[in-house]
Amino acid sequence: MADRIALFIDGANLHTTVKNLGFEIDFRRLLSEFGKHGQIVRAYFYTVVRDDDEFSSLRPLVDWLDYNGYAVRRKLAKTHDDGEGRRRMKRSIGIELAVDALEIAHRIDHAYLFSGDGDLRAVVEAVRRAGVRVTVVSSIRTKPPMIADELRRQADVFLELESLRASIERPAHPIAPE
């Protein structure tokens, strides 16, 4: 019997990690690759958007993901004053990811978390207590490493993102003839 799988993708964290590793992800290939490990029950993609992001560079990707098998979770960025008169933007998707992970835990056998954010350690711990195996996908090969040590230690398995490059990398676009 195949494992029932859920993917939890922290979009901003994954983008920064692959950028530091020097490649781009083909999200169709990513679904295909993880589909080899079992039945994908849900593939979540989390992103934070600003009020004025209606025509951002992220929009085409988010729209594509929406129509191609991903449950896209958009969160509006919150701005606040840092106490010194500067406006700061808060861009955390941790609560949304935690709620989704805990809600689906009884329906899956294995969760793959694409993030290195140490704030997600408690989520991994809770999902594991529910009997779900958790693999964290990030990188220790970036400078500095993109995964928090406490998150890596909490997971059942750590999967180096660079090791997946050949199977999930977006192929280079051919250059148009002149």
Side-chain angles (χ1 to χ4, degrees), residues 4 19 23 27 50 63 72 76 119 165:
R4 296 166 299 161
K19 185 177 176 185
F23 72 99
F27 285 94
R50 295 188 330 214
D63 286 347
V72 177
L76 197 58
D119 289 344
R165 184 176 188 156

Side-chain angles (χ1 to χ4, degrees), residues 32-152:
S32 176
E33 177 63 26
F34 284 87
K36 295 174 185 174
H37 301 285
Q39 174 198 357
I40 298 176
V41 174
R42 187 74 35 89
Y44 297 97
F45 183 90
Y46 301 88
T47 186
V48 176
V49 295
R50 295 188 330 214
D51 251 345
D52 57 356
D53 270 358
E54 186 170 335
F55 299 104
S56 77
S57 59
L58 188 61
R59 180 75 185 257
L61 171 63
V62 169
D63 286 347
W64 186 92
L65 293 170
D66 253 342
Y67 287 105
N68 288 279
Y70 288 84
V72 177
R73 301 289 197 249
R74 294 171 189 84
K75 181 178 180 182
L76 197 58
K78 298 203 183 334
T79 58
H80 66 281
D81 187 324
D82 70 357
E84 295 179 14
R86 292 183 299 247
R87 300 296 291 164
R88 297 281 185 202
M89 195 168 295
K90 185 175 180 185
R91 298 182 172 173
S92 174
I93 50 81
I95 296 297
E96 290 75 9
L97 192 149
V99 169
D100 287 339
L102 293 172
E103 282 183 346
I104 201 171
H106 71 282
R107 296 181 43 221
I108 62 172
D109 304 303
H110 200 149
Y112 289 87
L113 172 62
F114 291 76
S115 183
D117 187 343
D119 289 344
L120 298 173
R121 185 206 54 77
V123 177
V124 171
E125 182 180 15
V127 170
R128 287 184 65 211
R129 278 195 312 266
V132 177
R133 285 186 321 282
V134 178
T135 296
V136 172
V137 184
S138 189
S139 184
I140 57 174
R141 295 184 181 163
T142 56
K143 301 289 182 213
M146 285 300 295
I147 184 159
D149 191 52
E150 64 271 17
L151 180 63
R152 196 174 90 187

Side-chain angles (χ1 to χ4, degrees), residues 20-31:
N20 286 336
L21 291 170
F23 72 99
E24 290 182 35
I25 293 203
D26 181 325
F27 285 94
R28 186 182 323 263
R29 292 182 74 197
L30 186 138
L31 274 184

